[in-house]
Amino acid sequence: MYNSITALGRLGSDPEMRYTDKGTAVTNFSLATDIGWGDNKETLWLRVNCWDKMAESANQYLEKGRSVLVVGELSQREYTTQGGETRTSLEVKARDLKFISDGQSQVGTKPAAKPIEDREELPW
């Protein structure tokens, strides 16, 4: 069996990076993807997890509103809120990220990443 997802969307929040007990970097962020168009457009939210060097790059260059293409493995997780409600979360363990330029100037404090074609070598 093969589990793969490719999703293009915008970050719904700034990335959050932490380190495991063994010192491995992990970065999480929410990704908003649109399904449909016009009055039938809906937003599907995915939780993206990045590891190691990719996690460090995502934390350094991504911010809320930035477009990104994510390729990874899709999983589903159930959790209970503080209010006792059971909810489901769709999560992607990223295998590859492509930082997408939207042609607009970046308003935030993080520097814009070079387009992927201009890089000699990926940082992860």
Side-chain angles (χ1 to χ4, degrees), residues 11-67:
L11 272 70
S13 61
D14 287 331
E16 299 171 5
M17 188 168 77
R18 62 181 174 79
Y19 290 89
T20 65
D21 293 338
K22 294 184 179 182
T24 304
V26 181
T27 296
N28 300 304
F29 57 87
S30 59
L31 185 70
T33 61
D34 291 331
I35 300 171
W37 59 90
D39 293 338
N40 297 323
K41 187 164 103 173
E42 295 181 25
T43 301
L44 175 67
W45 289 94
L46 302 169
R47 187 81 178 148
V48 179
N49 308 307
C50 305
W51 294 80
D52 297 319
K53 296 284 185 190
M54 187 187 318
E56 293 171 353
S57 294
N59 186 62
Q60 181 179 357
Y61 293 109
L62 294 178
E63 62 186 347
K64 182 178 180 177
R66 186 81 190 265
S67 296

Short mmCIF file of all heavy atoms in Angstrom, two decimals, residues 11-67:
data_model
loop_
_atom_site.label_atom_id
_atom_site.label_comp_id
_atom_site.label_asym_id
_atom_site.label_seq_id
_atom_site.Cartn_x
_atom_site.Cartn_y
_atom_site.Cartn_z
N LEU A 11 -0.78 28.94 4.90
CA LEU A 11 -0.67 28.70 6.33
C LEU A 11 -1.74 29.48 7.07
O LEU A 11 -1.93 30.68 6.84
CB LEU A 11 0.70 29.10 6.85
CG LEU A 11 1.78 28.02 6.78
CD1 LEU A 11 2.18 27.73 5.36
CD2 LEU A 11 2.95 28.38 7.63
N GLY A 12 -2.45 28.80 7.96
CA GLY A 12 -3.47 29.44 8.77
C GLY A 12 -2.93 30.01 10.06
O GLY A 12 -3.61 30.74 10.77
N SER A 13 -1.69 29.68 10.37
CA SER A 13 -1.03 30.19 11.57
C SER A 13 0.47 30.14 11.34
O SER A 13 0.96 29.47 10.44
CB SER A 13 -1.40 29.34 12.79
OG SER A 13 -0.98 28.00 12.60
N ASP A 14 1.22 30.86 12.16
CA ASP A 14 2.68 30.78 12.08
C ASP A 14 3.12 29.39 12.51
O ASP A 14 2.49 28.78 13.38
CB ASP A 14 3.33 31.83 12.99
CG ASP A 14 3.21 33.24 12.44
OD1 ASP A 14 3.15 33.39 11.20
OD2 ASP A 14 3.19 34.18 13.24
N PRO A 15 4.20 28.89 11.93
CA PRO A 15 4.71 27.57 12.34
C PRO A 15 5.14 27.57 13.80
O PRO A 15 5.57 28.60 14.33
CB PRO A 15 5.92 27.35 11.43
CG PRO A 15 5.80 28.33 10.34
CD PRO A 15 5.00 29.48 10.87
N GLU A 16 5.03 26.41 14.42
CA GLU A 16 5.47 26.23 15.81
C GLU A 16 6.52 25.13 15.82
O GLU A 16 6.24 24.00 15.46
CB GLU A 16 4.30 25.83 16.70
CG GLU A 16 3.19 26.85 16.75
CD GLU A 16 1.95 26.33 17.45
OE1 GLU A 16 1.99 25.19 17.98
OE2 GLU A 16 0.95 27.05 17.47
N MET A 17 7.75 25.49 16.24
CA MET A 17 8.83 24.51 16.27
C MET A 17 9.14 24.12 17.71
O MET A 17 9.11 24.96 18.62
CB MET A 17 10.09 25.04 15.60
CG MET A 17 11.16 23.97 15.43
SD MET A 17 12.53 24.45 14.36
CE MET A 17 13.44 25.52 15.45
N ARG A 18 9.45 22.84 17.89
CA ARG A 18 9.88 22.32 19.19
C ARG A 18 10.92 21.25 18.91
O ARG A 18 11.17 20.90 17.76
CB ARG A 18 8.71 21.76 19.99
CG ARG A 18 8.04 20.59 19.32
CD ARG A 18 6.85 20.06 20.15
NE ARG A 18 6.14 19.03 19.44
CZ ARG A 18 6.50 17.77 19.32
NH1 ARG A 18 7.63 17.37 19.86
NH2 ARG A 18 5.78 16.90 18.66
N TYR A 19 11.51 20.74 19.96
CA TYR A 19 12.51 19.68 19.82
C TYR A 19 12.09 18.48 20.67
O TYR A 19 11.56 18.65 21.76
CB TYR A 19 13.89 20.17 20.28
CG TYR A 19 14.48 21.18 19.33
CD1 TYR A 19 14.24 22.53 19.48
CD2 TYR A 19 15.27 20.77 18.26
CE1 TYR A 19 14.77 23.46 18.60
CE2 TYR A 19 15.81 21.68 17.37
CZ TYR A 19 15.55 23.03 17.55
OH TYR A 19 16.07 23.93 16.66
N THR A 20 12.33 17.29 20.13
CA THR A 20 12.06 16.08 20.89
C THR A 20 13.13 15.93 21.98
O THR A 20 14.12 16.67 22.00
CB THR A 20 12.08 14.83 19.99
OG1 THR A 20 13.40 14.65 19.48
CG2 THR A 20 11.08 14.97 18.84
N ASP A 21 12.95 14.95 22.85
CA ASP A 21 13.93 14.69 23.90
C ASP A 21 15.31 14.35 23.33
O ASP A 21 16.33 14.59 23.96
CB ASP A 21 13.47 13.55 24.80
CG ASP A 21 12.23 13.93 25.61
OD1 ASP A 21 12.00 15.14 25.80
OD2 ASP A 21 11.52 13.02 26.06
N LYS A 22 15.33 13.79 22.13
CA LYS A 22 16.59 13.42 21.48
C LYS A 22 17.17 14.56 20.64
O LYS A 22 18.16 14.38 19.94
CB LYS A 22 16.40 12.18 20.62
CG LYS A 22 16.07 10.95 21.44
CD LYS A 22 15.98 9.73 20.57
CE LYS A 22 15.67 8.51 21.44
NZ LYS A 22 15.62 7.29 20.65
N GLY A 23 16.53 15.73 20.64
CA GLY A 23 17.05 16.89 19.93
C GLY A 23 16.61 17.03 18.49
O GLY A 23 17.15 17.86 17.76
N THR A 24 15.61 16.27 18.06
CA THR A 24 15.10 16.35 16.69
C THR A 24 14.11 17.49 16.58
O THR A 24 13.17 17.58 17.37
CB THR A 24 14.42 15.03 16.29
OG1 THR A 24 15.34 13.95 16.45
CG2 THR A 24 13.95 15.07 14.85
N ALA A 25 14.30 18.35 15.58
CA ALA A 25 13.39 19.48 15.37
C ALA A 25 12.08 18.98 14.76
O ALA A 25 12.08 18.14 13.86
CB ALA A 25 14.03 20.50 14.45
N VAL A 26 10.96 19.52 15.27
CA VAL A 26 9.63 19.22 14.74
C VAL A 26 8.88 20.55 14.61
O VAL A 26 8.81 21.31 15.56
CB VAL A 26 8.82 18.29 15.67
CG1 VAL A 26 7.45 17.99 15.08
CG2 VAL A 26 9.58 17.01 15.97
N THR A 27 8.36 20.82 13.42
CA THR A 27 7.58 22.03 13.20
C THR A 27 6.18 21.64 12.74
O THR A 27 6.02 20.78 11.89
CB THR A 27 8.24 22.93 12.13
OG1 THR A 27 9.51 23.36 12.63
CG2 THR A 27 7.39 24.15 11.82
N ASN A 28 5.18 22.28 13.33
CA ASN A 28 3.77 22.04 12.98
C ASN A 28 3.15 23.35 12.50
O ASN A 28 3.48 24.42 13.00
CB ASN A 28 2.98 21.57 14.20
CG ASN A 28 3.52 20.28 14.76
OD1 ASN A 28 3.62 19.29 14.07
ND2 ASN A 28 3.88 20.30 16.03
N PHE A 29 2.24 23.23 11.52
CA PHE A 29 1.46 24.38 11.10
C PHE A 29 0.16 23.90 10.48
O PHE A 29 0.04 22.74 10.07
CB PHE A 29 2.22 25.29 10.12
CG PHE A 29 2.72 24.63 8.87
CD1 PHE A 29 1.91 24.53 7.74
CD2 PHE A 29 4.00 24.13 8.81
CE1 PHE A 29 2.38 23.94 6.58
CE2 PHE A 29 4.48 23.53 7.64
CZ PHE A 29 3.67 23.44 6.53
N SER A 30 -0.83 24.78 10.46
CA SER A 30 -2.12 24.46 9.83
C SER A 30 -2.10 24.97 8.40
O SER A 30 -1.54 26.03 8.11
CB SER A 30 -3.28 25.07 10.61
OG SER A 30 -3.14 26.47 10.68
N LEU A 31 -2.70 24.18 7.49
CA LEU A 31 -2.72 24.51 6.07
C LEU A 31 -4.16 24.54 5.59
O LEU A 31 -4.89 23.56 5.75
CB LEU A 31 -1.92 23.47 5.28
CG LEU A 31 -1.74 23.75 3.79
CD1 LEU A 31 -0.80 24.93 3.58
CD2 LEU A 31 -1.20 22.51 3.09
N ALA A 32 -4.58 25.67 5.02
CA ALA A 32 -5.93 25.82 4.48
C ALA A 32 -5.90 25.53 2.99
O ALA A 32 -5.16 26.17 2.24
CB ALA A 32 -6.44 27.24 4.72
N THR A 33 -6.68 24.55 2.56
CA THR A 33 -6.80 24.22 1.14
C THR A 33 -8.25 24.42 0.73
O THR A 33 -9.16 24.11 1.49
CB THR A 33 -6.37 22.77 0.86
OG1 THR A 33 -7.22 21.89 1.58
CG2 THR A 33 -4.93 22.55 1.27
N ASP A 34 -8.46 24.95 -0.46
CA ASP A 34 -9.82 25.20 -0.95
C ASP A 34 -10.29 24.06 -1.83
O ASP A 34 -9.54 23.53 -2.64
CB ASP A 34 -9.87 26.50 -1.74
CG ASP A 34 -9.66 27.71 -0.85
OD1 ASP A 34 -10.01 27.63 0.34
OD2 ASP A 34 -9.14 28.73 -1.34
N ILE A 35 -11.57 23.71 -1.67
CA ILE A 35 -12.23 22.69 -2.48
C ILE A 35 -13.41 23.37 -3.14
O ILE A 35 -14.21 24.03 -2.47
CB ILE A 35 -12.70 21.51 -1.60
CG1 ILE A 35 -11.52 20.87 -0.89
CG2 ILE A 35 -13.47 20.50 -2.43
CD1 ILE A 35 -11.92 19.86 0.15
N GLY A 36 -13.55 23.20 -4.45
CA GLY A 36 -14.66 23.82 -5.18
C GLY A 36 -14.34 25.25 -5.55
O GLY A 36 -13.21 25.70 -5.44
N TRP A 37 -15.38 25.98 -6.00
CA TRP A 37 -15.21 27.36 -6.41
C TRP A 37 -16.52 28.11 -6.24
O TRP A 37 -17.58 27.53 -6.07
CB TRP A 37 -14.71 27.45 -7.85
CG TRP A 37 -15.63 26.80 -8.83
CD1 TRP A 37 -16.67 27.37 -9.49
CD2 TRP A 37 -15.64 25.43 -9.22
NE1 TRP A 37 -17.32 26.47 -10.28
CE2 TRP A 37 -16.70 25.24 -10.14
CE3 TRP A 37 -14.87 24.33 -8.90
CZ2 TRP A 37 -17.01 24.02 -10.70
CZ3 TRP A 37 -15.17 23.12 -9.48
CH2 TRP A 37 -16.21 22.99 -10.39
N GLY A 38 -16.43 29.42 -6.30
CA GLY A 38 -17.61 30.27 -6.17
C GLY A 38 -18.36 30.04 -4.87
O GLY A 38 -17.75 29.95 -3.81
N ASP A 39 -19.70 29.94 -4.97
CA ASP A 39 -20.53 29.73 -3.79
C ASP A 39 -20.35 28.33 -3.19
O ASP A 39 -20.74 28.09 -2.05
CB ASP A 39 -22.01 29.93 -4.12
CG ASP A 39 -22.32 31.39 -4.47
OD1 ASP A 39 -21.53 32.27 -4.06
OD2 ASP A 39 -23.33 31.64 -5.14
N ASN A 40 -19.77 27.41 -3.95
CA ASN A 40 -19.57 26.04 -3.48
C ASN A 40 -18.19 25.81 -2.87
O ASN A 40 -17.83 24.70 -2.55
CB ASN A 40 -19.76 25.04 -4.63
CG ASN A 40 -21.18 25.09 -5.16
OD1 ASN A 40 -22.12 25.25 -4.40
ND2 ASN A 40 -21.32 24.98 -6.46
N LYS A 41 -17.41 26.89 -2.71
CA LYS A 41 -16.04 26.75 -2.19
C LYS A 41 -16.07 26.47 -0.69
O LYS A 41 -16.78 27.12 0.06
CB LYS A 41 -15.26 28.02 -2.47
CG LYS A 41 -13.79 27.92 -2.11
CD LYS A 41 -13.00 29.02 -2.76
CE LYS A 41 -12.67 30.09 -1.77
NZ LYS A 41 -11.78 31.11 -2.30
N GLU A 42 -15.30 25.46 -0.31
CA GLU A 42 -15.13 25.11 1.10
C GLU A 42 -13.65 25.05 1.42
O GLU A 42 -12.83 24.82 0.54
CB GLU A 42 -15.75 23.74 1.39
CG GLU A 42 -17.26 23.68 1.23
CD GLU A 42 -17.80 22.30 1.57
OE1 GLU A 42 -17.15 21.57 2.33
OE2 GLU A 42 -18.86 21.97 1.05
N THR A 43 -13.32 25.23 2.68
CA THR A 43 -11.94 25.16 3.11
C THR A 43 -11.73 23.89 3.91
O THR A 43 -12.47 23.60 4.85
CB THR A 43 -11.56 26.38 3.96
OG1 THR A 43 -11.77 27.56 3.19
CG2 THR A 43 -10.11 26.32 4.41
N LEU A 44 -10.71 23.12 3.53
CA LEU A 44 -10.31 21.92 4.26
C LEU A 44 -9.01 22.26 4.99
O LEU A 44 -8.06 22.72 4.38
CB LEU A 44 -10.09 20.75 3.30
CG LEU A 44 -9.56 19.47 3.93
CD1 LEU A 44 -10.60 18.86 4.86
CD2 LEU A 44 -9.17 18.48 2.85
N TRP A 45 -8.99 22.01 6.30
CA TRP A 45 -7.81 22.31 7.11
C TRP A 45 -7.02 21.03 7.35
O TRP A 45 -7.58 20.01 7.72
CB TRP A 45 -8.20 22.91 8.45
CG TRP A 45 -8.72 24.30 8.32
CD1 TRP A 45 -10.02 24.70 8.19
CD2 TRP A 45 -7.94 25.50 8.27
NE1 TRP A 45 -10.09 26.06 8.06
CE2 TRP A 45 -8.83 26.57 8.12
CE3 TRP A 45 -6.57 25.76 8.34
CZ2 TRP A 45 -8.40 27.89 8.04
CZ3 TRP A 45 -6.14 27.07 8.27
CH2 TRP A 45 -7.05 28.13 8.12
N LEU A 46 -5.72 21.13 7.11
CA LEU A 46 -4.80 20.03 7.37
C LEU A 46 -3.76 20.49 8.39
O LEU A 46 -3.34 21.65 8.38
CB LEU A 46 -4.07 19.61 6.09
CG LEU A 46 -4.94 19.17 4.92
CD1 LEU A 46 -4.08 19.05 3.67
CD2 LEU A 46 -5.61 17.86 5.24
N ARG A 47 -3.35 19.57 9.24
CA ARG A 47 -2.26 19.84 10.18
C ARG A 47 -1.01 19.22 9.58
O ARG A 47 -1.00 18.03 9.24
CB ARG A 47 -2.58 19.22 11.54
CG ARG A 47 -1.63 19.58 12.61
CD ARG A 47 -1.98 20.94 13.16
NE ARG A 47 -1.05 21.25 14.24
CZ ARG A 47 -0.65 22.47 14.52
NH1 ARG A 47 -1.13 23.47 13.85
NH2 ARG A 47 0.18 22.68 15.48
N VAL A 48 0.05 20.01 9.39
CA VAL A 48 1.27 19.53 8.75
C VAL A 48 2.38 19.42 9.79
O VAL A 48 2.58 20.34 10.60
CB VAL A 48 1.70 20.48 7.60
CG1 VAL A 48 2.99 19.98 6.95
CG2 VAL A 48 0.59 20.60 6.57
N ASN A 49 3.11 18.29 9.77
CA ASN A 49 4.24 18.05 10.66
C ASN A 49 5.50 17.89 9.81
O ASN A 49 5.52 17.08 8.88
CB ASN A 49 4.05 16.76 11.47
CG ASN A 49 2.73 16.73 12.17
OD1 ASN A 49 2.39 17.64 12.90
ND2 ASN A 49 1.95 15.69 11.95
N CYS A 50 6.53 18.66 10.12
CA CYS A 50 7.82 18.57 9.42
C CYS A 50 8.88 18.16 10.44
O CYS A 50 8.79 18.54 11.61
CB CYS A 50 8.23 19.91 8.83
SG CYS A 50 7.01 20.65 7.75
N TRP A 51 9.91 17.45 9.97
CA TRP A 51 10.93 16.93 10.87
C TRP A 51 12.33 17.34 10.40
O TRP A 51 12.55 17.61 9.23
CB TRP A 51 10.84 15.41 10.93
CG TRP A 51 9.57 14.96 11.57
CD1 TRP A 51 8.33 14.88 10.97
CD2 TRP A 51 9.36 14.58 12.92
NE1 TRP A 51 7.39 14.45 11.87
CE2 TRP A 51 7.99 14.24 13.08
CE3 TRP A 51 10.20 14.46 14.01
CZ2 TRP A 51 7.46 13.82 14.28
CZ3 TRP A 51 9.66 14.02 15.22
CH2 TRP A 51 8.32 13.72 15.35
N ASP A 52 13.26 17.36 11.33
CA ASP A 52 14.69 17.58 11.08
C ASP A 52 14.97 18.90 10.37
O ASP A 52 14.44 19.92 10.75
CB ASP A 52 15.30 16.40 10.32
CG ASP A 52 15.22 15.09 11.10
OD1 ASP A 52 15.46 15.14 12.32
OD2 ASP A 52 14.92 14.06 10.50
N LYS A 53 15.81 18.88 9.33
CA LYS A 53 16.20 20.10 8.61
C LYS A 53 15.01 20.77 7.94
O LYS A 53 14.93 22.00 7.87
CB LYS A 53 17.27 19.78 7.55
CG LYS A 53 18.56 19.27 8.11
CD LYS A 53 19.36 20.39 8.70
CE LYS A 53 20.72 19.86 9.15
NZ LYS A 53 21.44 20.83 9.93
N MET A 54 14.06 19.96 7.45
CA MET A 54 12.86 20.53 6.84
C MET A 54 12.08 21.33 7.87
O MET A 54 11.53 22.39 7.58
CB MET A 54 11.97 19.43 6.25
CG MET A 54 10.81 19.98 5.45
SD MET A 54 9.60 18.75 4.90
CE MET A 54 10.60 17.40 4.36
N ALA A 55 12.02 20.85 9.11
CA ALA A 55 11.33 21.56 10.18
C ALA A 55 11.99 22.91 10.46
O ALA A 55 11.31 23.92 10.64
CB ALA A 55 11.32 20.70 11.45
N GLU A 56 13.31 22.92 10.47
CA GLU A 56 14.03 24.17 10.72
C GLU A 56 13.81 25.17 9.58
O GLU A 56 13.61 26.36 9.83
CB GLU A 56 15.52 23.88 10.91
CG GLU A 56 15.78 23.09 12.19
CD GLU A 56 17.20 22.58 12.33
OE1 GLU A 56 17.99 22.72 11.36
OE2 GLU A 56 17.52 22.04 13.40
N SER A 57 13.82 24.69 8.33
CA SER A 57 13.58 25.58 7.19
C SER A 57 12.16 26.12 7.20
O SER A 57 11.93 27.30 6.93
CB SER A 57 13.84 24.84 5.88
OG SER A 57 15.19 24.51 5.76
N ALA A 58 11.19 25.25 7.49
CA ALA A 58 9.79 25.68 7.55
C ALA A 58 9.61 26.75 8.62
O ALA A 58 8.93 27.76 8.40
CB ALA A 58 8.87 24.50 7.82
N ASN A 59 10.21 26.55 9.76
CA ASN A 59 10.09 27.53 10.85
C ASN A 59 10.75 28.85 10.48
O ASN A 59 10.25 29.91 10.82
CB ASN A 59 10.71 26.97 12.13
CG ASN A 59 10.47 27.89 13.30
OD1 ASN A 59 9.34 28.14 13.69
ND2 ASN A 59 11.54 28.40 13.87
N GLN A 60 11.86 28.79 9.75
CA GLN A 60 12.59 29.99 9.39
C GLN A 60 11.89 30.80 8.30
O GLN A 60 11.83 32.03 8.37
CB GLN A 60 14.00 29.64 8.92
CG GLN A 60 14.83 30.85 8.54
CD GLN A 60 16.23 30.48 8.10
OE1 GLN A 60 16.62 29.32 8.13
NE2 GLN A 60 16.99 31.47 7.69
N TYR A 61 11.33 30.14 7.28
CA TYR A 61 10.84 30.85 6.11
C TYR A 61 9.32 30.99 5.99
O TYR A 61 8.84 31.82 5.24
CB TYR A 61 11.36 30.18 4.83
CG TYR A 61 12.85 30.32 4.67
CD1 TYR A 61 13.68 29.23 4.82
CD2 TYR A 61 13.42 31.55 4.39
CE1 TYR A 61 15.05 29.34 4.69
CE2 TYR A 61 14.78 31.68 4.26
CZ TYR A 61 15.60 30.57 4.41
OH TYR A 61 16.94 30.70 4.29
N LEU A 62 8.57 30.15 6.68
CA LEU A 62 7.11 30.20 6.53
C LEU A 62 6.47 31.05 7.60
O LEU A 62 7.00 31.17 8.71
CB LEU A 62 6.52 28.79 6.56
CG LEU A 62 6.90 27.88 5.40
CD1 LEU A 62 6.29 26.49 5.60
CD2 LEU A 62 6.47 28.48 4.07
N GLU A 63 5.33 31.64 7.26
CA GLU A 63 4.55 32.42 8.22
C GLU A 63 3.10 32.40 7.78
O GLU A 63 2.78 32.02 6.64
CB GLU A 63 5.07 33.84 8.34
CG GLU A 63 4.98 34.64 7.07
CD GLU A 63 5.65 36.00 7.19
OE1 GLU A 63 5.96 36.44 8.30
OE2 GLU A 63 5.84 36.63 6.15
N LYS A 64 2.22 32.82 8.66
CA LYS A 64 0.79 32.84 8.38
C LYS A 64 0.51 33.54 7.06
O LYS A 64 1.05 34.61 6.78
CB LYS A 64 0.05 33.54 9.52
CG LYS A 64 -1.45 33.57 9.32
CD LYS A 64 -2.14 34.24 10.49
CE LYS A 64 -3.63 34.26 10.25
NZ LYS A 64 -4.34 34.83 11.39
N GLY A 65 -0.32 32.90 6.21
CA GLY A 65 -0.70 33.47 4.93
C GLY A 65 0.18 33.06 3.77
O GLY A 65 -0.19 33.24 2.61
N ARG A 66 1.34 32.51 4.04
CA ARG A 66 2.29 32.12 2.99
C ARG A 66 1.81 30.86 2.28
O ARG A 66 1.31 29.93 2.90
CB ARG A 66 3.65 31.87 3.63
CG ARG A 66 4.78 31.59 2.68
CD ARG A 66 5.32 32.90 2.11
NE ARG A 66 6.23 32.61 1.03
CZ ARG A 66 7.54 32.53 1.17
NH1 ARG A 66 8.09 32.71 2.34
NH2 ARG A 66 8.29 32.26 0.13
N SER A 67 1.95 30.80 0.97
CA SER A 67 1.57 29.63 0.18
C SER A 67 2.69 28.59 0.22
O SER A 67 3.86 28.94 0.15
CB SER A 67 1.31 30.01 -1.27
OG SER A 67 0.20 30.87 -1.36
#
